[in-house]
Amino acid sequence: MNAIKSLNQEQQDIVAKMRTLITEVRKHNNAYYVMDEPTISDNEYDQLRLSLIELEERYPDLTQSDSPTASVGDNPLPSFSQVQHDIPMLSLGNVFNKEELAEFMRRVNDRLSSNNKNPAYEMELKLDGLAVSLKYQNGRFVRGVTRGDGQTGEDITQNVKTINNIPLVLEAAFDIEVLEVRGEVLMPKAGFERLNRKAKQVDGKIFANPRNAAAGSLRQLDPAVAANRPLAFYAYSVNQGLPEHIVNQSEALGWLKEIGFTVSAVKVVNDLEEAQAYYESVIEERSGLPFEIDGTVIKVDNLQLQSELGYLSREPRWATAYKFPAETVMTKLNAIEWQVGRTGQITPVGKLEPVQVGGVTVSNVTLHNIGEIQRLDVRAGDTVSVHRAGDVIPKVTRVWHELRPEDSQPVTLPTHCPVCDSPVVLPEGEALARCTGELFCPAQQQEALIHFVSRKAMDIDGLGERWLISFFEQGIVKTVADIYHLEQHREALINFEKLGEKSVNNLLAAIDNSKKTTLSRFIYAIGIKGVGETTAQNLAQHFGDLPALMDASIESLETVPDIGTITAEQIYDFFRAKHNVEVIEALIEAGVHWEKVEQVEAEGLPLDGETWVITGTLVESGMSRDDAKSKLQALGAKVSGSVSAKTSALLAGEKAGSKLTKAQQLGVRVVEETEFLQMIQD
């Protein structure tokens, strides 16, 4: 039985689109926030993420458990020490036209009291660089940290010290115990051009754009390299230590300028028309600016009103980015190739004649699936229009059939996998075709290996993608179980380029240490389709140990919080595949182990039969969400990750966002932290 058959055609299309969007958002989170090598523009990424958010808001019951929409970016690189932000570095929402800006202002007004309606707004240039937090103690610079994942960033203090326009001593702030200034590190256009000219002369690295150059420079492990790069810092907020007499954002930026920081243009506007006029003037002046920008930022000017308006889960309610319009260009579609993902999905990718779109070279475009190809009636050799800010990246918006070559041929779904030659299937009712080779398909094996060793899975430090692929290509590692037999290849590993005996010893030790893990990590690591971190934790808590999970029926799996019919069937099918069981047995035989999860018998407990959701930060108790989840489960409750009509109660801490709004809309009981703590005590 195929679980998706229980959905109607519209729902099937929505789920398929969500899965595509989730995959793309995660991939580009990593490319942008971690690798500093984005393959799409910010505008494209914004629209990609916005499309996923809109789908999830419209169809909450179809929301996928592994959706990345609650996070800001991605995990920091391990080459720098990690620092937790005192105050999270959130991202901004986006608007793309005057109508959406008007809607943003309407939402602000709706949340303000009657005597504060129609506030003034402060507008700034949206700089295209790397967000950084600077901390000063009694006027002396002590630390610089990147945004990272919004909660934790990378300590880049030594590199920050080399940026010429960052004051290391602030005489005007000697009486301020802690001052935190946030802003953007960027590379001005002139400096970027000089850097690339010099690189060409010595056959060095050529950067694609100033943003990449700035980020790459700031993350050099050798501060001397960063010192030779033309970087600049532009401040945009004071998050700690602002003098009490300053009441507006525009005044705060003026004060920063007075004490020695560089600040971009600031404009205070009073209504929609003034905001739109300033935005349009910035578009006209854009090409003459000394640095790259990708829009403007509009903020409620009054700081007290900002505090009153508060935050959503990943962005403030009082500010948004007003992005520049996307660009559309015509180019040639040279070929259509089929790629195989970690889960075996076969995805068509259009190979374009490389073209510059808004300063970014675009050479690939996703075509989603065979249905999309047929809808567009697109073929290799066609002339196409490519849009940089559609609902997925980059998007073919038009096929110029009138320019089509006479010898063009319609595109058909391949019958066999382009990597392993296994049969390709397109399950009834689904939009995405899959390779049936699963763990035997090299493309899927490589991705499975990379996922298995990742930080949130088995967390094998030092065994990165580069080495895994090398070992795979050399035939040393084929399945994830082979990782635990690398000791047999010790001498061969030592001779690998740039490894050496010390690195090999460290790597083997890390592999050995990873054998002791948790059940939830192991479930997540083996890469079951549709099973993310939260789902893995719920499965571990529900079944207690792996044999019970492996033997579970679809009906039993559906009783686990956050698991619907589709995911239940995927889990069931995974453990019915002989080669998957063989790999799991090989892992256990190699010494991978975990302690059984203590299961709580809910019957007779105070919260038996109730489903709870947790949101916000539990400040009064300092309790983490995992701790709160454990306490609720100990009282018999099931804990879910999303609010629905079936939710019994929402535990709401500080800065509760969209989940609180949804709970209120559905009439779900909201429990404050004080009441929760009293309930536990009782």
Side-chain angles (χ1 to χ4, degrees):
M1 145 182 169
N2 196 318
I4 204 163
K5 291 181 180 178
S6 63
L7 303 178
N8 61 40
Q9 185 60 51
E10 181 184 6
Q11 291 172 322
Q12 295 168 20
D13 294 340
I14 292 164
V15 169
K17 190 171 185 179
M18 281 183 176
R19 296 308 316 165
T20 299
L21 289 169
I22 287 169
T23 299
E24 291 299 325
V25 169
R26 288 195 178 282
K27 179 174 72 176
H28 294 295
N29 275 348
N30 186 70
Y32 187 97
Y33 289 97
V34 179
M35 304 310 298
D36 292 319
E37 295 178 355
T39 57
I40 61 170
S41 69
D42 288 356
N43 205 342
E44 290 170 324
Y45 175 84
D46 293 334
Q47 290 301 312
L48 174 67
R49 188 179 183 101
L50 181 62
S51 296
L52 180 56
I53 291 172
E54 288 175 348
L55 277 177
E56 291 173 344
E57 289 177 346
R58 288 174 59 193
Y59 307 100
D61 291 338
L62 297 179
T63 297
Q64 304 294 287
S65 60
D66 59 341
S67 174
T69 53
S71 62
V72 174
D74 212 326
N75 307 306
L77 289 170
S79 50
F80 291 94
S81 61
Q82 299 181 15
V83 177
Q84 186 163 351
H85 296 295
D86 294 336
I87 301 171
M89 288 188 74
L90 301 181
S91 186
L92 287 173
N94 300 304
V95 297
F96 296 92
N97 53 52
K98 186 178 180 180
E99 291 71 27
E100 292 179 359
L101 179 61
E103 175 63 17
F104 164 75
M105 290 181 167
R106 184 196 64 75
R107 291 197 303 270
V108 168
N109 258 358
D110 286 349
R111 287 186 170 272
L112 293 176
S113 55
S114 58
N115 59 326
N116 289 321
K117 301 289 187 184
N118 303 313
Y121 291 86
E122 179 264 350
M123 294 187 72
E124 311 163 13
L125 303 180
K126 188 175 185 304
L127 306 175
D128 194 14
L130 189 73
V132 170
S133 164
L134 307 181
K135 180 171 284 190
Y136 294 79
Q137 291 182 348
N138 297 113
R140 298 184 183 278
F141 173 72
V142 293
R143 192 167 67 199
V145 183
T146 64
R147 181 198 302 276
D149 64 1
Q151 302 292 330
T152 304
E154 298 158 340
D155 188 336
I156 53 169
T157 302
Q158 298 308 312
N159 288 349
V160 166
K161 288 180 179 179
T162 70
I163 301 175
N164 291 329
N165 75 327
I166 291 183
L168 300 182
V169 177
L170 298 168
E171 294 183 5
F174 281 165
D175 60 340
I176 300 177
E177 183 176 352
V178 176
L179 172 67
E180 183 188 9
V181 178
R182 292 178 179 177
E184 206 85 355
V185 171
L186 52 83
M187 185 174 290
K189 294 176 184 176
F192 170 73
E193 292 169 359
R194 288 197 306 272
L195 180 66
N196 271 353
R197 279 199 303 270
K198 291 180 180 179
K200 287 179 181 178
Q201 293 171 0
V202 296
D203 293 326
K205 179 176 181 179
I206 305 298
F207 289 96
N209 52 56
R211 196 271 173 193
N212 283 16
S217 303
L218 205 54
R219 281 172 162 167
Q220 291 288 328
L221 292 177
D222 182 2
V225 176
N228 289 322
R229 301 282 175 83
L231 300 175
F233 176 81
Y234 284 76
Y236 59 60
S237 71
V238 181
N239 291 76
Q240 294 183 78
L242 186 67
E244 291 182 0
H245 70 275
I246 294 176
V247 297
N248 293 323
Q249 165 73 6
S250 53
E251 295 173 350
L253 294 184
W255 178 72
L256 284 175
K257 190 173 182 179
E258 289 176 6
I259 66 174
F261 288 96
T262 304
V263 177
S264 74
V266 175
K267 175 74 172 179
V268 177
V269 299
N270 294 297
D271 56 31
L272 175 64
E273 296 304 323
E274 288 184 13
Q276 182 67 20
Y278 177 73
Y279 169 79
E280 292 174 359
S281 71
V282 171
I283 292 178
E284 293 178 359
E285 299 168 1
R286 180 184 185 184
S287 61
L289 294 173
F291 40 69
E292 293 286 354
I293 62 173
D294 55 0
T296 61
V297 176
I298 182 166
K299 305 175 181 178
V300 172
D301 196 28
N302 185 277
L303 299 177
Q304 180 58 42
L305 294 185
Q306 289 183 7
S307 178
E308 179 181 333
L309 288 162
Y311 298 82
L312 296 169
S313 60
R314 68 180 291 270
E315 62 194 48
R317 290 192 177 96
W318 43 265
T320 193
Y322 191 177
K323 293 293 197 72
F324 290 141
E327 297 183 43
T328 302
V329 299
M330 291 174 63
T331 188
K332 183 181 179 182
L333 180 66
N334 290 324
I336 296 175
E337 298 180 356
W338 297 86
Q339 295 183 351
V340 186
R342 179 174 66 85
T343 60
Q345 291 181 352
I346 308 289
T347 305
V349 176
K351 298 294 182 178
L352 302 172
E353 191 72 33
V355 61
Q356 283 282 321
V357 188
V360 175
T361 300
V362 176
S363 56
N364 296 324
V365 59
T366 180
L367 295 172
H368 306 297
N369 52 59
I370 189 63
E372 177 71 0
I373 289 176
Q374 293 168 346
R375 185 188 70 80
L376 290 170
D377 184 20
V378 63
R379 305 178 185 182
D382 280 344
T383 297
V384 297
S385 291
V386 179
H387 197 53
R388 286 188 59 215
D391 55 289
V392 290
I393 57 90
K395 182 176 182 179
V396 173
T397 56
R398 176 175 178 177
V399 179
W400 296 81
H401 297 120
E402 56 268 43
L403 303 178
R404 170 173 289 167
E406 292 183 2
D407 60 349
S408 69
Q409 297 294 320
V411 179
T412 58
L413 181 70
T415 58
H416 288 77
C417 173
V419 176
C420 72
D421 203 38
S422 296
V424 169
V425 297
L426 182 60
E428 182 181 350
E430 291 194 10
L432 297 172
R434 293 201 303 269
C435 164
T436 57
E438 298 189 74
L439 295 181
F440 297 107
C441 179
Q444 296 176 68
Q445 287 174 338
Q446 287 189 35
E447 291 300 320
L449 288 166
I450 293 166
H451 173 76
F452 185 80
V453 305
S454 62
R455 184 176 65 84
K456 295 179 180 180
M458 299 302 287
D459 192 21
I460 304 180
D461 188 33
L463 189 54
E465 180 175 343
R466 176 188 171 191
W467 295 121
L468 274 174
I469 292 176
S470 295
F471 298 159
F472 182 84
E473 290 173 346
Q474 293 289 327
I476 296 175
V477 171
K478 285 296 183 183
T479 73
V480 293
D482 294 333
I483 292 171
Y484 293 96
H485 298 290
L486 279 174
E487 174 67 41
Q488 300 173 8
H489 304 278
R490 190 174 184 281
E491 294 304 318
L493 296 181
I494 291 173
N495 293 324
F496 261 73
E497 181 184 0
K498 296 182 181 179
L499 262 180
E501 186 170 1
K502 182 177 179 181
S503 295
V504 170
N505 289 339
N506 291 338
L507 174 60
L508 294 176
I511 291 172
D512 191 62
N513 290 337
S514 75
K515 290 180 180 179
K516 183 179 181 180
T517 186
T518 64
L519 178 58
S520 62
R521 274 184 175 270
F522 184 80
I523 295 170
Y524 175 67
I526 56 179
I528 306 170
K529 186 179 179 183
V531 176
E533 280 183 276
T534 300
T535 303
Q537 291 170 357
N538 289 340
L539 288 168
Q541 180 63 43
H542 185 87
F543 290 102
D545 205 357
L546 191 63
L549 171 59
M550 294 177 69
D551 291 338
S553 64
I554 293 176
E555 291 74 18
S556 175
L557 289 164
E558 287 177 329
T559 65
V560 180
D562 286 339
I563 292 183
T565 304
I566 294 174
T567 303
E569 188 171 68
Q570 289 167 346
I571 298 168
Y572 180 85
D573 290 342
F574 181 89
F575 289 118
R576 298 304 170 281
K578 182 180 178 182
H579 49 263
N580 291 338
V581 175
E582 290 173 348
V583 171
I584 291 171
E585 290 174 346
L587 285 167
I588 295 172
E589 186 177 341
V592 177
H593 63 283
W594 53 85
E595 293 183 2
K596 290 184 179 181
V597 178
E598 183 178 349
Q599 294 177 274
V600 177
E601 289 295 335
E603 188 173 353
L605 292 175
L607 302 183
D608 180 18
E610 295 189 12
T611 299
W612 284 58
V613 175
I614 305 170
T615 188
T617 303
L618 302 178
V619 176
E620 184 176 341
S621 63
M623 193 182 302
S624 70
R625 290 192 190 185
D626 284 342
D627 290 338
K629 179 178 179 179
S630 297
K631 291 185 181 298
L632 286 168
Q633 289 172 334
L635 292 172
K638 293 181 180 179
V639 181
S640 175
S642 57
V643 177
S644 71
K646 297 180 180 179
T647 303
S648 307
L650 175 77
L651 171 56
E654 287 194 8
K655 297 182 180 178
S658 58
K659 291 180 182 178
L660 175 58
T661 302
K662 186 173 181 181
Q664 292 169 337
Q665 292 172 346
L666 294 173
V668 172
R669 175 191 170 200
V670 177
V671 176
E672 303 291 342
E673 184 178 4
T674 302
E675 181 183 350
F676 170 66
L677 295 175
Q678 185 62 51
M679 181 183 74
I680 293 173
Q681 182 178 343
D682 292 343

